[in-house]
Structure formats: structure tokens, C-alpha cells
């Protein structure tokens, strides 16, 4: 499998008095970091692509099919949240297996795939653990294992490593990089951490006040020619 | 400094003393009687006693099961059909039974399913026999389920609303269907709430007095509390009453201990805040099923309520309102209920403020016995039900020869204490948070005693105190427990008069009185609810 391109065309959405307008596109198999101040619309952007929100108008195309009105399960998308990615009463194996069968009906091949995914994210032997017995980083690894068995062309990461320490965050970024190298899915990651973005992303989207204010190659964003708005944002973040 | 210290804890000590005296007096009465007539008390361990004890447990178990399982179904349907047009109405309506006095609900059930009830003709045609009316176990179960199924549904809905939104998002993303969603997401949330909800309902049904008194009949459908009442009022057999009371105490204590082990709260939540979280809107076959469940629940709960209103309006309300005995009962009820509410609020506030003062004084040390008592003392009422307190004092006062003269004091005292767990729950959060904000400033400015109460404590406490007052008053107004034991020609409350009219087969009068009483309690509960919401 490989990634799919994403196009948002004149997507309009409003909630609780906030207006959002998104118009941008992402090439297949890119890794894009979505940055911007709190409340600017990063999460809303991901929710629209995942289908947790439905736009009032506009088109969201993934691999050239308009998915704007489809329910979340029918979109070629997996999403990892900041927390609550796992059901606390189900063991690691079942949590991952839900990505293959939402009623946990598995054949031998499915089971093998699930075990392989758990091994791939570095949790071999922890199949029977319950989420409360895992560290924060391990729980997010389980969520990534489920992404592997679901095998969808688009992966959305909504600040998935925000509650982890710097060393763990770097490990997780490297894991996402490795998984991307194997599967080639299109990755959109909302983050507050410029170093995560710089390390992982090939392209950048900067969101401000409910719209994309700047976009371009990551190298440009973190170099001399960074867009002004993004520089201001980084400055304020670093000072704060 | 010492003066101000004791000023804040002394009322708490007095309040504890008052509650202790009420319970100790009852126990003293029981122990004295047992000592005086040991053989009589021992003789009361007979087949009748075991039948009554078994029926008490059996009806409570059935009521709990019949409330909890449909409660789960309704809660699940409410959670998964957020787009159902009548959803808000159902959630609101399910809060109403708790606001209605048991005697009013018993009459509502009879007005619907009794021998002369609204459905009597239809049921006669259906069964072929003349409909005998819903007495005995089935009547008790209908009334208990009417009270407790909506309570269960609201508590389970609260548990379902606490499922993390991300889990619902995962459900949507992974395409988890309704059956798997129940197994994977909803059942774990419900299972966590289940022991607490079941225990609460079981306790309410074990100590249910009025429903069983009115709908139960004869020795085959009598619970311990009703048997205590009958032993004292009809058979005048105090020795038997002592034995029955003892068994009831053991039973309630066992339930309270079991509930504490399970972490269940037995004072219940009068008004569960059921948030209208952006919910799921199931489609297709599941939607059809959900709507069906919701409509069935709606009809079941709305039925007796409608019957109360319909039957009540058929009565000659203007004549009733003009009767001297009715006017007297209303006046007596209001005076006693207001007195009970005043005492309940004062006792609760005393305990709450003493607890907080003791907590501040000890800093990080472990709470002492006094503080624990101010915290938990009111819960004693749960172990010693009102009928038991009433029975103990009835037996004790019998020796003074003026049992019925004590009626007003007994009603006020027992109702005040009975409402304390709820009143404290309304007052304590507001008091503690106000104290956390103001304590250091008040100390620095040396604001103490009365000035502190008036300037610092009163403004943030006004609403919670009013909530507690309205709640305690409604509880006391509708209570037919102590007054059933102590009532007489001279002291009649509205529920007592209602019971008498029923006993005299003046069904229309009873229905009219039930409507008046129900409307009064309902209005008070709505005020309490409204005040507590504005407060939040």
C-alpha cells in the first residue's frame, strides 16, 4: 500500500462562533506537520479529514474521491489522538485487533498480522497487558500498531506525543518515520513542538485563525526564508 | 482565638448530640422492651417473622432486577439516539418520580391498575374475569419499578456520558457496530456503575414502607417495616416489634456495609446532571429499536403520573379544599415540614462548618473521631430507617402514657434527620469552596462569629441552603412513616389524612388529596432543582 493525496477545496465549517475555511492540498506519501497557535484550527482540520466533523460546504478529496459526507469508518483514514486511544479494559492484542475487525472476529492470518504489528512497534510479549499497566509511550505504540493492521492510506496524528518527555518523543518520531518508510502512507501531524516537525516533516502547513496561513517545504520553514507569520508564531512560542 | 474556634465547632457537637440522642432514644426503647419481655421477643422468631423477612428480600431483589435491566436498555437508547425528538423530555420526566411522595405514586398505580382503575375494564375484557386490582407483589413491583427504573436509567446514562469522547470517535472510525459497541464500550461503563446503582435501589426497596403498606396486602405481602407498624398500631405487640426491628437493623446494616465495600453512595443523587453531550444518532434497525425502547419507557413512567392527575381532577377539589379536616391537615403538614426543613438545614450546616473547621485546624494530620463523625454521622440515618427510630421511641414513650402527644416532635425530628444526608450534600461543596477562598482573608481581617456568617458565609451559601431547605421540606411533606405510627385525630398530616380516606374507601377524596400533595412536593422539588442549577 502507499499513500493517497488529499485535497481540501473551499471547505467551510463553523462551530461555536468560530469560522474555518480550508483550501490546500497534500501530495501522496508526504509527511506534513500542521502547526499553529492553540485554537487556530489544527485539530478541526484533522477532524474534518477524519470525518468527525462534516463541513457546511466544499470538497474533501482523498485519492480523488470526495469523502466530505462519508462517516469516519468509510474513509481511508486512521487517526491517533493525544490520549484515550485504547480501551482500558481490553488487552493490547484486542486493542490492536479492533483495527482489523471491529467485532474482534479474527482468522489465523489476522492474528498473525496483529502479532506482527505489535512486534513491529517494539511491544513483543506485551500482548496480554492492559493499557493501565503500560507507560504513556507504550500506549501510543499500541495505537500505532493498530494503524498498521488497519493499513489505510492516510494517517492523522493529533498531537500524539504531546504528553511524552523529549527523549520518548524523539523515539516515537523515529518510529513514525520508520513506519512511513515501510508503508508510504500520507501523514498529517498536528504538533506544538517545532523540533518534532523539523525532524519528521517534509512539508509544513501553518494554520492561523481558522485558515491555512502558510505552507511549503519544511526545509524552507526552518531556514532563513521562513514565512513571517510562522516566524512570529515560533518567536512567541519560544518566548512563552 | 479559642472562642472563635469553639464557636465554629460547638454547633457541630450539639448537632451530633441531637442526632445521637434521637437514635440512642430509639435503641434504648427497643433494648428496654427486649429486657422487660425477653420471652416475648424470643417467641417472635416464628414462621411469620421468617416469611416477612423472606418477602422483604424477595420483593427487593425482584424490584432491583426489574428496575436495573430496563434501566440499562433505556439509558443505552438515550445515549445512542441523541437525535430523538423527545429525548430531553424523557430525561426530565425520569427525574419526576423521585420528587413524588410514595403515597401519591401508590395511588397513581391504583388509579391506573386498581380494581376501579382506568384500565380495569380493559383488563377485565382481556382476562375474562373481573379484574381484581393490582394488589400484593405485582402492585409493589410496579410502584417500585416506577420509582427506580428512571433513577437507574439516569444514573447509567451519566455513566455512559462519561465514556471518553475519543472512544466514541474510535467507534465511528473503526466502524464498530451497535452490538460490539455495547460489548466493548458501553457495558464496561455500565458494569462499573452497576453495583452502586443496584445497591442503592435494593436499599430503597428494602426500606420501602408506604408502597408496601398501601399496595401490599395481608401476611403474604408484608415487609419488615410494615410488620413493625402493624405490630405496634394494630396488634399492640411491642415484643414482636422489637424482634422485627432488630432483624431490619441487621439487614440494613449489612446492606450499608456491603455498599461501602463497593464504594456505592446510598444517599443517592436527587438530581443527576445528565449532560446533553454531542451524542450518537444511530440509524436503520437500531434506531427503530431505540425509539421503541424509549417510547415504552416513556409510557411506563408517564402512565401513573397521568393517572394521578386524571383521578385527582375527577375528585371534588373545591369541596375538599373547603373541608376543615383538609385545611387542618394542610396547615399541620406545612408547619411540620417547615420546622423539619429548618432543623435539617441548621443541623447540616453545623456539621459541615464544624467538619471544615476541624479539617483546617489539623492541617495534614489524620482526621480525628470528631471530624469523621461530622462527616459520616448523618449516614447513620441510613442504617436506622425512620420507621425503626419511630418504633423505638413509640415503645419508649408508651411508658409515659403520652405517645400521641409526641407526634409533632417525632415527625419534625425524624424528618429533619432523614433529610440530612441530602441537605449536607447540597451545602458542603459550596461551604468548603467558599471557605477555601475566604479563610485566610477572614483570619487576617479578624472577621469572626456572627459577622462572618452574615458577611462572608451567607452570600455564597444562600442558594445551597435554599436548595437543601426545599428538598427537606418536600421530603417531610410527603413522608408517611413516623406519622403512620404517631398520627391520631389530633395530629393529622396530609399523607395521614390520605391514608385514612383510603381506609374508609373514599377513593375520590384520596385521589384529590394525592393530586394536591403531589403538586406541592413536585413544586418544591422543582424549586430545589432550579436553585441548585443556578448555583452550579
Amino acid at each position: 500500500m502507499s499513500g493517497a493525496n488529499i485535497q481540501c477545496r473551499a471547505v467551510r465549517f463553523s462551530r461555536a462562533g468560530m469560522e474555518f475555511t480550508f483550501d490546500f492540498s497534500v501530495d501522496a506519501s508526504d509527511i506534513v506537520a500542521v502547526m499553529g497557535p492553540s485554537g487556530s484550527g489544527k485539530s478541526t482540520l484533522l477532524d474534518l479529514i477524519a470525518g468527525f466533523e462534516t463541513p457546511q460546504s466544499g470538497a474533501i478529496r482523498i485519492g480523488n474521491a470526495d469523502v466530505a459526507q462519508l462517516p469516519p469508518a468509510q474513509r481511508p483514514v486512521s487517526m491517533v489522538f493525544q490520549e484515550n486511544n485504547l480501551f482500558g479494559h481490553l488487552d493490547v492484542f484486542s486493542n490492536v485487533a479492533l483495527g482489523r475487525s471491529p467485532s474482534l472476529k479474527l482468522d489465523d492470518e489476522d492474528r498473525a498480522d496483529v502479532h506482527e504489528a505489535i512486534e513491529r512497534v517494539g511491544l513483543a510479549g506485551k500482548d496480554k497487558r492492559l493499557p493501565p499497566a503500560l507507560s504513556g509511550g507504550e500506549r501510543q505504540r499500541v495505537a500505532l500498531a493498530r494503524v498498521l493492521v488497519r493499513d489505510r492510506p492516510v494517517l492523522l496524528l493529533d498531537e500524539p506525543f504531546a504528553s511524552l518527555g523529549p527523549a520518548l518523543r524523539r523515539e516515537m518520531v523515529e518510529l513514525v518515520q520508520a513506519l512511513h518508510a515501510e508503508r508510504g502512507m500520507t501523514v498529517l501531524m498536528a504538533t506544538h513542538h517545532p523540533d518534532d516537525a523539523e525532524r519528521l516533516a517534509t512539508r509544513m502547513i501553518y494554520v492561523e485563525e481558522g485558515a491555512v496561513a502558510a505552507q511549503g517545504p519544511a526545509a524552507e520553514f526552518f531556514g532563513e526564508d521562513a514565512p513571517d507569520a510562522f516566524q512570529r508564531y515560533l518567536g512567541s512560542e519560544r518566548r512563552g | 482565638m479559642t472562642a472563635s474556634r469553639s464557636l465554629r465547632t460547638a454547633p457541630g457537637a450539639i448537632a451530633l448530640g441531637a442526632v445521637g440522642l434521637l437514635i440512642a432514644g430509639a435503641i434504648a426503647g427497643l433494648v428496654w422492651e427486649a429486657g422487660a419481655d425477653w420471652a416475648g421477643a424470643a417467641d417472635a422468631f416464628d414462621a411469620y417473622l421468617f416469611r416477612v423477612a423472606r418477602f422483604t428480600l424477595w420483593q427487593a431483589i425482584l424490584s432491583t432486577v426489574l428496575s436495573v435491566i430496563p434501566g440499562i436498555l433505556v439509558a443505552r437508547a438515550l445515549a445512542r439516539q441523541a437525535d430523538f425528538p423527545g429525548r430531553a423530555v424523557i430525561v426530565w420526566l425520569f427525574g419526576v418520580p423521585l420528587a413524588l411522595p410514595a403515597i401519591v405514586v401508590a395511588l397513581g398505580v391504583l388509579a391506573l391498575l386498581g380494581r376501579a382503575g382506568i384500565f380495569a375494564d380493559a383488563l377485565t375484557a382481556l382476562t375474562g374475569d373481573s379484574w381484581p386490582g393490582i394488589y400484593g407483589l405485582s402492585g409493589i413491583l410496579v410502584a417500585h419499578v416506577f420509582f427506580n427504573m428512571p433513577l437507574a436509567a439516569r444514573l447509567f446514562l451519566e455513566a455512559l456520558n462519561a465514556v471518553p469522547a475519543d472512544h466514541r470517535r474510535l467507534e465511528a472510525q473503526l466502524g464498530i457496530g451497535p452490538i460490539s459497541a455495547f460489548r466493548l464500550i458501553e457495558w464496561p461503563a455500565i458494569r462499573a456503575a452497576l453495583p452502586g446503582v443496584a445497591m442503592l435501589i435494593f436499599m430503597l426497596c428494602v426500606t420501602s414502607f408506604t408502597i408496601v403498606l398501601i399496595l401490599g396486602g395481608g401476611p403474604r405481602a408484608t415487609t419488615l417495616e410494615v410488620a413493625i407498624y402493624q405490630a405496634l398500631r394494630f396488634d399492640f405487640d411491642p415484643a414482636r416489634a422489637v424482634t422485627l426491628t432488630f432483624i431490619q437493623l441487621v439487614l440494613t446494616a449489612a446492606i450499608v456495609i456491603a455498599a461501602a465495600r463497593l464504594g456505592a453512595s446510598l444517599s443517592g443523587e436527587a438530581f443527576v446532571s445528565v449532560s446533553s453531550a454531542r451524542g450518537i444518532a444511530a440509524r436503520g434497525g437500531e434506531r427503530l429499536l431505540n425509539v421503541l425502547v424509549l417510547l415504552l419507557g416513556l409510557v411506563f413512567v408517564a402512565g401513573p403520573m397521568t393517572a394521578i392527575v386524571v383521578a385527582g381532577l375527577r375528585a371534588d377539589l373545591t369541596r375538599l379544599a373547603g373541608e376543615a379536616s383538609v385545611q387542618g391537615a394542610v396547615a399541620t403538614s406545612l408547619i411540620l415540614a417547615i420546622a423539619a426543613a429548618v432543623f435539617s438545614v441548621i443541623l447540616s450546616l453545623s456539621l459541615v462548618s464544624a467538619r471544615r473547621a476541624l479539617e483546617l485546624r489539623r492541617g495534614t494530620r489524620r482526621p480525628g473521631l470528631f471530624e469523621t463523625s461530622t462527616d459520616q454521622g448523618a449516614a447513620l440515618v441510613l442504617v436506622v430507617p425512620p420507621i425503626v427510630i419511630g418504633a423505638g421511641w413509640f415503645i419508649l414513650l408508651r411508658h409515659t402514657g403520652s405517645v400521641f402527644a409526641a407526634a409533632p416532635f417525632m415527625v419534625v425530628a425524624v424528618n429533619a434527620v432523614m433529610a440530612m444526608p441530602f441537605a449536607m450534600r447540597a451545602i458542603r461543596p459550596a461551604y468548603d469552596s467558599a471557605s477555601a477562598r475566604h479563610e485566610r482573608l477572614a483570619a487576617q481581617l479578624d472577621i469572626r462569629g456572627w459577622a462572618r456568617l452574615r458577611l462572608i458565609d451567607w452570600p455564597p451559601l444562600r442558594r445551597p441552603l435554599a436548595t437543601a431547605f426545599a428538598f427537606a421540606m418536600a421530603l417531610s411533606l410527603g413522608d408517611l412513616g413516623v406519622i403512620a405510627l404517631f398520627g391520631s385525630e389530633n395530629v393529622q398530616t396530609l399523607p395521614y389524612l390520605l391514608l385514612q380516606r383510603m381506609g374508609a374507601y373514599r377513593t375520590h377524596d384520596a385521589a384529590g388529596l394525592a393530586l394536591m400533595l403531589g403538586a406541592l412536593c413536585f413544586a418544591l422539588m422543582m424549586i430545589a432543582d432550579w436553585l441548585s442549577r443556578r448555583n452550579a
Side-chain angles (χ1 to χ4, degrees):
Chain A
M1 182 208 64
S2 59
N5 63 334
I6 304 170
Q7 291 180 307
C8 286
R9 287 289 162 253
V11 170
R12 295 177 58 84
F13 174 73
S14 65
R15 190 180 62 197
M18 271 286 280
E19 292 282 336
F20 301 92
T21 318
F22 293 115
D23 203 310
F24 67 92
S25 54
V26 169
D27 287 339
S29 300
D30 269 356
I31 303 187
V32 184
V34 181
M35 297 195 70
S38 296
S40 59
K42 301 188 295 291
S43 292
T44 307
L45 173 58
L46 297 191
D47 282 351
L48 282 164
I49 297 173
F52 298 122
E53 302 288 2
T54 309
Q56 270 88 35
S57 64
I60 300 173
R61 279 193 281 274
I62 301 179
N64 296 325
D66 188 354
V67 298
Q69 304 300 323
L70 290 182
Q74 290 175 29
R75 300 191 184 199
V77 172
S78 287
M79 183 153 163
V80 176
F81 315 121
Q82 187 175 333
E83 47 198 19
N84 294 320
N85 282 294
L86 309 182
F87 296 111
H89 54 282
L90 294 180
D91 62 16
V92 167
F93 181 89
S94 304
N95 265 296
V96 174
L98 277 175
R100 183 57 58 85
S101 159
S103 55
L104 288 179
K105 293 198 180 74
L106 306 169
D107 60 25
D108 289 344
E109 195 190 330
D110 293 331
R111 261 185 273 277
D113 287 353
V114 171
H115 280 299
E116 194 188 334
I118 293 172
E119 264 171 45
R120 180 63 196 88
V121 298
L123 293 177
K126 297 192 174 169
D127 309 40
K128 295 292 163 217
R129 294 279 181 92
L130 290 173
L134 299 175
S135 70
E138 285 175 327
R139 284 200 284 270
Q140 298 304 68
R141 285 173 189 268
V142 178
L144 286 175
R146 184 167 59 215
V147 167
L148 289 179
V149 299
R150 282 196 93 206
D151 208 14
R152 305 265 163 138
V154 173
L155 170 61
L156 305 176
L157 303 165
D158 191 2
E159 311 208 23
F161 315 131
S163 50
L164 307 181
L168 260 178
R169 253 184 19 239
R170 186 174 311 145
E171 267 180 43
M172 296 301 290
V173 165
E174 281 163 9
L175 177 60
V176 171
Q177 241 161 356
L179 299 181
H180 176 262
E182 291 164 25
R183 302 289 178 100
M185 66 285 214
T186 311
V187 178
L188 258 75
M189 176 170 79
T191 177
H192 265 113
H193 293 283
D195 38 337
D196 286 359
E198 196 173 358
R199 209 170 288 132
L200 182 64
T202 51
R203 291 185 67 81
M204 293 289 299
I205 288 181
Y206 175 67
V207 180
E208 208 174 64
E209 289 174 2
V212 175
Q215 54 181 319
E220 188 181 297
F221 268 61
F222 292 103
E224 293 295 309
D225 303 328
D228 291 345
F230 185 66
Q231 275 186 339
R232 272 199 307 278
Y233 163 71
L234 281 189
S236 70
E237 283 283 294
R238 278 182 182 147
R239 267 201 312 280
Chain B
M1 195 63 197
T2 328
S4 115
R5 273 186 176 181
S6 57
L7 213 60
R8 286 184 71 187
T9 52
I14 295 170
L16 270 181
V19 174
L21 183 69
L22 187 69
I23 292 172
I27 305 279
L30 294 169
V31 171
W32 183 356
E33 180 61 39
D37 187 3
W38 182 250
D43 278 352
F45 277 98
D46 54 9
Y48 170 76
L49 177 101
F50 288 112
R51 198 163 58 225
V52 168
R54 204 175 51 209
F55 182 78
T56 305
L57 287 174
W58 177 233
Q59 62 84 20
I61 291 169
L62 282 180
S63 302
T64 306
V65 170
L66 291 175
S67 301
V68 163
I69 292 172
I72 291 173
L73 293 178
V74 172
R76 202 205 66 98
L78 282 170
R80 294 187 64 87
Q81 210 64 60
D83 60 336
F84 184 66
R87 186 180 182 276
V89 176
I90 293 180
V91 172
W92 177 81
L93 200 70
F94 275 25
V96 174
L98 277 179
L100 295 176
I103 190 167
V104 173
V105 169
L107 254 82
V109 170
L110 285 180
L112 205 62
L113 300 167
R115 199 161 49 83
I118 294 170
F119 286 154
D121 292 341
L123 287 165
T124 298
L126 202 71
T127 55
D129 280 323
S130 146
W131 174 249
I134 188 154
Y135 280 100
L137 181 60
S138 49
I140 294 169
L141 291 182
V142 169
H144 280 170
V145 174
F146 170 80
F147 268 117
N148 295 313
M149 186 279 280
L151 174 67
R154 284 166 67 102
L155 291 170
F156 285 130
L157 180 58
E158 199 186 27
L160 287 176
N161 281 346
V163 168
D166 287 340
H167 285 179
R168 291 300 193 183
R169 282 148 56 111
L170 272 179
E171 176 189 335
Q173 181 167 74
L174 302 175
I176 296 177
I179 294 169
S180 294
F182 184 76
R183 196 160 52 92
L184 297 173
I185 299 169
E186 287 150 7
W187 174 242
I190 287 171
R191 196 183 49 198
L194 188 60
V197 175
M199 266 299 176
L200 172 64
I201 292 175
F202 185 69
M203 182 71 169
L204 289 172
C205 294
V206 162
T207 56
S208 154
F209 170 73
T210 309
I211 295 288
V212 181
L213 179 66
I214 292 172
L215 294 171
R220 284 182 52 214
T222 295
T223 56
L224 286 165
E225 294 209 350
V226 172
I228 293 169
Y229 162 78
Q230 284 167 344
L232 288 178
R233 278 297 290 241
F234 294 109
D235 310 333
F236 205 75
D237 187 352
R240 175 178 293 281
V242 166
T243 307
L244 288 163
T245 309
F246 172 72
I247 302 286
Q248 174 77 349
L249 273 177
V250 170
L251 191 59
T252 45
I255 297 170
V256 167
I257 291 168
R261 285 271 169 81
L262 290 167
S265 160
L266 288 182
S267 52
E269 194 67 70
F271 295 99
V272 181
S273 65
V274 178
S275 67
S276 48
R278 256 186 342 141
I280 304 165
R283 285 182 257 188
E286 196 206 341
R287 183 188 162 83
L288 212 64
L289 222 66
N290 287 344
V291 169
L292 188 71
V293 167
L294 291 179
L295 288 178
L296 281 176
L298 182 65
V299 167
F300 181 77
V301 174
M305 287 191 219
T306 316
I308 292 165
V309 176
V310 169
L313 291 177
R314 273 192 205 152
D316 193 348
L317 288 172
T318 40
R319 176 182 57 78
L320 270 179
E323 272 182 34
S325 60
V326 173
Q327 287 171 356
V330 169
T332 307
S333 272
L334 286 176
I335 292 168
L336 294 184
I338 288 171
V342 167
F343 275 114
S344 191
V345 168
I346 291 175
L347 290 174
S348 303
L349 182 60
S350 305
L351 288 186
V352 165
S353 80
R355 194 207 68 81
R356 177 69 183 160
L358 291 166
E359 183 185 49
L360 288 171
R361 204 182 294 172
R362 72 175 154 87
T364 53
R365 277 174 293 156
R366 285 160 53 82
L369 179 65
F370 185 21
E371 186 187 331
T372 313
S373 310
T374 55
D375 196 14
Q376 306 288 333
L380 261 183
V381 196
L382 297 169
V383 190
V384 191
I387 287 288
V388 169
I389 300 180
W393 280 91
F394 190 96
I395 292 169
L396 187 69
L397 292 171
R398 173 172 73 90
H399 300 290
T400 69
S402 54
V403 171
F404 297 111
F409 306 103
M410 287 314 303
V411 170
V412 168
V414 173
N415 284 349
V417 172
M418 204 172 77
M420 277 176 71
F422 303 95
M424 286 185 71
R425 203 178 256 223
I427 297 168
R428 188 174 150 183
Y431 187 92
D432 287 357
S433 84
S435 161
R437 274 177 284 133
H438 302 147
E439 209 61 56
R440 292 205 294 183
L441 197 60
Q444 191 179 45
L445 301 176
D446 200 23
I447 307 173
R448 284 183 277 142
W450 177 245
R452 182 186 156 121
L453 192 65
R454 190 167 52 88
L455 298 173
I456 312 288
D457 293 337
W458 174 248
L461 283 179
R462 218 172 42 202
R463 270 182 206 292
L465 289 177
T467 303
F469 182 89
F471 192 92
M473 194 176 157
L475 217 59
S476 172
L477 258 187
D479 183 50
L480 178 80
V482 179
I483 194 67
L485 283 174
F486 286 87
S488 65
E489 289 298 313
N490 299 322
V491 186
Q492 293 192 334
T493 63
L494 209 44
Y496 188 76
L497 185 69
L498 220 168
L499 186 67
Q500 288 210 315
R501 292 285 159 100
M502 280 187 73
Y505 295 102
R506 295 175 64 177
T507 316
H508 283 306
D509 281 8
L513 292 174
L515 180 59
M516 291 183 200
L517 182 61
L520 213 55
C521 290
F522 177 70
L524 277 170
M525 285 292 196
M526 285 301 110
I527 291 171
D529 180 36
W530 178 71
L531 285 168
S532 69
R533 270 168 215 268
R534 298 246 327 225
N535 193 25

